[in-house]
Amino acid sequence: RFRMDYDSLLKACEEDLKTVDAIHQYDQVKSRYLGAKSVLKQQLSTLSSMPKAQKAVQGKAIHQFKRSLETLFATKKDSLEEALERARLAEDCVDVTVDSVAYWKGAEHPLSLTQKRLVSMFAKLGFDLVDGPEIETFYYNFTALNTPKYHPAVTSQDTFYLSNGSLLRSHTSSVQIRMMEQHKPPLRVISPGRVFRADTPDATHSPCFMQCEGLVVDTASSLLDLRATLVNILEGFFEKKLKVRFRSSFFPFTEPSFECDIWFNGQWLEVFGCGMVHPNVLENVGVDSSIYQGFAFGMGIERLTMLRYNIDDIRLLYEGDQAFLQQFSEDGL
Ligand code: PHE
């Protein structure tokens, strides 16, 4: 009688499984060996019609064959799932060492950075941020600031005149007048912005630059407050203790007047002009100078920027050179 060669079948199954590397192939092979039309099923179905003695022997062999097949498929299933999982992980994995795509991320201009820093530091001292026009009249830029037409200070702040008689403001001090006209004291404001002078550009001059004006008017603000405010701002801005010097100077709209210098890299450097608001200026805008007093200051935003970031030519700040400006990007990109 014909006897099944289970060993050869098992071998064949093993060989077939070796070529399987996807679930659908696995299912095909499995149904070939364990499915309804498989040799196994066929053999199992012959059992019932066998004589008892033969049935015992055959049955044992068939069931042994069945278990062996099942073990083969279970083992294959495990290793197949593991391989698939490994492939999936390899595909999903992010290689953090690969260079990112280069892209330009905008950087804030160093002058904007300085302006922002000043505004936020002054805000902490209770200063409001205000604005004034860049095109001014002679009155706001000079006359109201105690600087009549014949005054030599008009020449020293020579600027650009428009055909209608207006001018480009030579300093932000014009905002002092506008603020005092619009608001009753007490006043505590700063006003950063562009100013213009008829200067030939060089490493330290530019016909257009930026200032930040400050004005405090109340009944008691003194030179001491002026000094304390400005030292606080300077040390906050440069993030270190500074040697600060107030040198007697002259401005038509302050009395007394000072230039403020800081000791920087082994030399005194002028960082701004300041003083107590001249009584004539208060009177020009209808503020009673027998009740009110105050102080004013004007700082050069370029000068502060150049000192803070070690920039040696003011023109770099206006050229729009990407390579230069990207250095000020927060993350250096
Ligand atoms: N406006 C002056 C300048 O441009 C600076 C200044 C402002 C001085 C306020 C005193 C008070 O040089």
Side-chain angles (χ1 to χ4, degrees):
R1 207 193 137 91
F2 171 75
R3 281 204 50 182
M4 279 311 296
D5 184 354
Y6 293 135
D7 284 349
S8 305
L9 274 171
L10 275 176
K11 268 255 143 30
C13 177
E14 227 172 319
E15 287 306 312
D16 284 350
L17 279 177
K18 272 187 193 153
T19 67
V20 164
D21 55 12
I23 280 291
H24 71 277
Q25 293 174 333
Y26 171 88
D27 290 339
Q28 280 169 7
V29 178
K30 190 171 174 182
S31 87
R32 203 182 314 145
Y33 286 92
L34 290 169
K37 291 179 183 158
S38 62
V39 175
L40 175 72
K41 281 283 149 68
Q42 210 183 308
Q43 291 295 304
L44 281 170
S45 68
T46 61
L47 271 184
S48 55
S49 55
M50 277 183 200
K52 213 165 180 189
Q54 194 189 354
K55 192 178 188 176
V57 179
Q58 283 290 337
K60 207 173 157 199
I62 292 175
H63 282 288
Q64 172 68 41
F65 173 56
K66 186 178 177 225
R67 272 195 300 279
S68 299
L69 279 178
E70 282 167 351
T71 310
L72 276 184
F73 281 100
T75 312
K76 179 66 190 184
K77 182 138 202 187
D78 282 352
S79 69
L80 188 60
E81 275 173 354
E82 199 188 304
L84 290 174
E85 175 73 357
R86 226 180 296 122
R88 203 177 56 76
L89 286 176
E91 204 171 301
D92 277 0
C93 130
V94 174
D95 183 351
V96 293
T97 65
V98 171
D99 279 349
S100 61
V101 183
Y103 64 98
W104 285 115
K105 189 173 169 202
E108 265 185 296
H109 195 280
L111 292 175
S112 304
L113 292 174
T114 296
Q115 181 171 328
K116 275 194 172 175
R117 285 170 63 76
L118 289 175
V119 169
S120 91
M121 284 189 299
F122 274 114
K124 286 178 190 149
L125 297 180
F127 283 77
D128 289 328
L129 176 62
V130 300
D131 207 6
E134 291 172 0
I135 298 176
E136 267 298 5
T137 62
F138 193 91
Y139 176 79
Y140 283 105
N141 198 79
F142 293 117
T143 322
L145 286 161
N146 203 30
T147 316
K149 256 202 175 69
Y150 54 80
H151 199 288
V154 174
T155 323
S156 73
Q157 291 206 0
D158 192 19
T159 179
F160 302 93
Y161 289 82
L162 306 177
S163 47
N164 66 3
S166 299
L167 51 78
L168 300 184
R169 66 179 178 186
S170 62
H171 53 184
T172 43
S173 297
S174 51
V175 185
Q176 288 186 34
I177 304 302
R178 292 188 173 273
M179 281 306 115
M180 289 190 285
E181 274 183 354
Q182 287 164 28
H183 305 280
K184 294 232 159 311
L187 259 180
R188 199 186 291 174
V189 296
I190 57 158
S191 186
R194 271 198 196 92
V195 301
F196 306 84
R197 305 253 172 114
D199 275 337
T200 306
D202 62 23
T204 54
H205 292 86
S206 161
C208 168
F209 59 103
M210 292 185 77
Q211 287 187 333
C212 180
E213 191 78 8
L215 173 70
V216 172
V217 184
D218 56 26
T219 54
S221 282
S222 68
L223 264 184
L224 206 61
D225 300 311
L226 165 66
R227 189 186 151 83
T229 303
L230 295 180
V231 170
N232 175 293
I233 292 295
L234 282 173
E235 293 189 339
F237 182 78
F238 288 106
E239 296 175 280
K240 60 179 179 197
K241 277 249 157 281
L242 288 172
K243 231 155 85 178
V244 181
R245 173 173 87 173
F246 285 80
R247 186 162 38 86
S248 176
S249 181
F250 173 82
F251 298 102
F253 36 93
T254 48
E255 179 60 33
S257 302
F258 304 91
E259 305 276 1
C260 176
D261 304 335
I262 58 175
W263 183 254
F264 211 90
N265 294 336
Q267 56 178 324
W268 286 109
L269 289 174
E270 184 188 319
V271 280
F272 46 76
C274 58
M276 299 303 293
V277 180
H278 197 294
N280 288 356
V281 174
L282 296 174
E283 296 297 336
N284 284 343
V285 289
V287 172
D288 188 341
S289 63
S290 69
I291 301 173
Y292 293 106
Q293 61 187 40
F295 60 83
F297 51 87
M299 43 186 83
I301 290 185
E302 278 80 356
R303 171 47 79 84
L304 290 173
T305 306
M306 290 166 75
L307 290 176
R308 182 176 158 87
Y309 297 109
N310 217 351
I311 299 166
D312 59 8
D313 193 318
I314 196 172
R315 289 167 292 195
L316 287 166
L317 294 170
Y318 308 120
E319 282 167 355
D321 179 349
Q322 281 280 351
F324 172 74
L325 293 174
Q326 282 293 327
Q327 299 177 81
F328 302 91
S329 165
E330 230 86 294
D331 44 15
L333 278 174

